[in-house]
């Protein structure tokens, strides 16, 4: 089945230790998104890729970076995780030339010690 | 930008009864309104959506209504079952380009057996 896959599902890192979360998709969608979701809150958009074009949200900290080496894969890099970065990180995809629905992956739960 | 308000924040219903969640939006340019269901520890799952060219859409026990004049849309779940217990998010966007979603804060639905 076509889907959005996130690895790992659970990630534990130490304060200040860089961490990378990965997302892959078999939907061949041209738009990919990274969201941060904290407990009892709505997903918060960090940035998205429209094809190869990177679009950062104005309030996304510089600590968060992203890479999209090809259509299928997208990575979220947290350069120096702080305690406040502990959250669920969600990847989503959509197609700009289709019905434009956003499909989410299962998420990666990040714990910062 | 778009602002989406979602009410109530928590809703408890007896199994078999109906549940209704209401959302309002602010940007008249928004023309796409998805609803997501999120179970504990999982990513949001798209359950139904509606575009501004229709007023109502139904899929089995789930229906969504849209009032463009009043800028509000609602999710209706009939014959609720325990597996309907989850957090439900409404969202709004303009269906072009990157389909940037504005989410409501979410509604915790609890179905009491």
């Amino acid at each position: 089945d076509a889907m959005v896959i996130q690895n790992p599902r659970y990630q534990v890192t130490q304060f200040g230790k860089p961490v990378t979360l990965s997302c892959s998709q078999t939907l061949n969608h041209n738009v990919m998104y990274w969201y941060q979701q904290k407990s009892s809150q709505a997903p918060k958009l960090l940035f998205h890729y429209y094809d190869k074009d990177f679009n950062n949200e104005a309030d996304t900290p510089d600590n968060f970076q992203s890479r999209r080496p090809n259509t299928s894969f997208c990575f979220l890099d947290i350069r120096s995780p702080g305690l406040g970065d502990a959250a669920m990180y969600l990847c989503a995809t959509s197609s700009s030339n289709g019905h434009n629905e956003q499909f989410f992956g299962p998420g990666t739960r990040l714990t910062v010690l | 930008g778009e602002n989406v308000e979602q009410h109530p924040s928590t809703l408890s219903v007896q199994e078999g009864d109906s549940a209704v969640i209401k959302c309002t939006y602010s940007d008249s340019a928004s023309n796409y309104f998805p609803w997501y269901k999120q179970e504990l520890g999982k990513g949001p799952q798209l359950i139904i959506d509606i575009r501004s060219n229709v007023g109502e859409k139904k899929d089995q026990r789930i229906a969504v209504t849209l009032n463009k004049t009043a800028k509000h849309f609602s999710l209706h779940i009939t014959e609720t079952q325990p597996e309907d217990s989850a957090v439900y998010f409404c969202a709004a966007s303009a269906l072009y380009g990157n389909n940037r979603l504005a989410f409501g804060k979410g509604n915790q639905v609890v179905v009491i057996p």
Side-chain angles (χ1 to χ4, degrees):
Chain A
D1 288 339
M3 57 198 310
V4 182
I5 303 161
Q6 290 189 244
N7 286 305
R9 294 293 314 278
Y10 301 91
Q11 176 73 57
V12 180
T13 191
Q14 291 182 329
F15 183 94
K17 185 175 181 180
V19 66
T20 295
L21 310 181
S22 71
C23 176
S24 63
Q25 53 125 343
T26 60
L27 297 160
N28 202 32
H29 285 171
N30 64 320
V31 191
M32 294 187 77
Y33 311 79
W34 277 106
Y35 290 86
Q36 179 192 66
Q37 187 179 28
K38 295 190 175 181
S39 181
S40 303
Q41 296 184 18
K44 178 180 182 299
L45 184 63
L46 295 173
F47 27 59
H48 73 274
Y49 275 93
Y50 187 103
D51 295 321
K52 295 182 180 180
D53 295 332
F54 177 72
N55 298 271
N56 201 32
E57 293 298 300
D59 57 354
T60 298
D62 293 340
N63 198 25
F64 292 89
Q65 304 287 319
S66 185
R67 296 169 285 134
R68 189 180 185 185
N70 53 52
T71 300
S72 301
F73 286 86
C74 196
F75 300 98
L76 170 62
D77 300 309
I78 309 177
R79 294 192 296 186
S80 182
L83 298 179
D85 297 327
M88 174 79 91
Y89 289 88
L90 297 162
C91 174
T93 73
S94 72
S95 173
S96 63
N97 58 5
H99 293 292
N100 281 43
E101 300 100 329
Q102 274 192 39
F103 296 98
F104 284 81
T108 295
R109 170 72 65 186
L110 178 67
T111 300
V112 181
L113 301 178
Chain B
E2 175 63 273
N3 181 44
V4 176
E5 299 283 342
Q6 187 169 352
H7 303 279
S9 59
T10 304
L11 178 63
S12 295
V13 295
Q14 287 292 135
E15 182 178 357
D17 287 350
S18 295
V20 181
I21 306 169
K22 299 179 181 179
C23 288
T24 60
Y25 62 100
S26 61
D27 189 349
S28 57
S30 291
N31 57 6
Y32 174 64
F33 307 93
W35 285 90
Y36 288 88
K37 174 184 180 182
Q38 187 172 26
E39 297 176 350
L40 193 62
K42 298 183 178 180
Q45 177 191 4
L46 179 66
I47 57 172
I48 196 167
D49 57 16
I50 192 167
R51 285 156 172 78
S52 59
N53 58 345
V54 297
E56 183 174 358
K57 184 177 177 181
K58 190 174 181 181
D59 182 4
Q60 298 182 340
R61 295 187 296 108
I62 295 172
V64 57
T65 58
L66 171 65
N67 183 326
K68 287 188 293 182
T69 303
K71 294 196 185 69
H72 67 71
F73 56 113
S74 300
L75 177 71
H76 304 253
I77 307 173
T78 59
E79 301 173 23
T80 53
Q81 300 168 5
E83 53 265 37
D84 295 328
S85 296
V87 177
Y88 291 82
F89 290 98
C90 64
S93 79
L95 250 187
Y96 59 84
N98 59 34
N99 188 20
R100 190 176 179 282
L101 292 174
F103 281 93
K105 290 186 176 181
N107 178 294
Q108 176 74 60
V109 173
V110 177
V111 179
I112 303 166

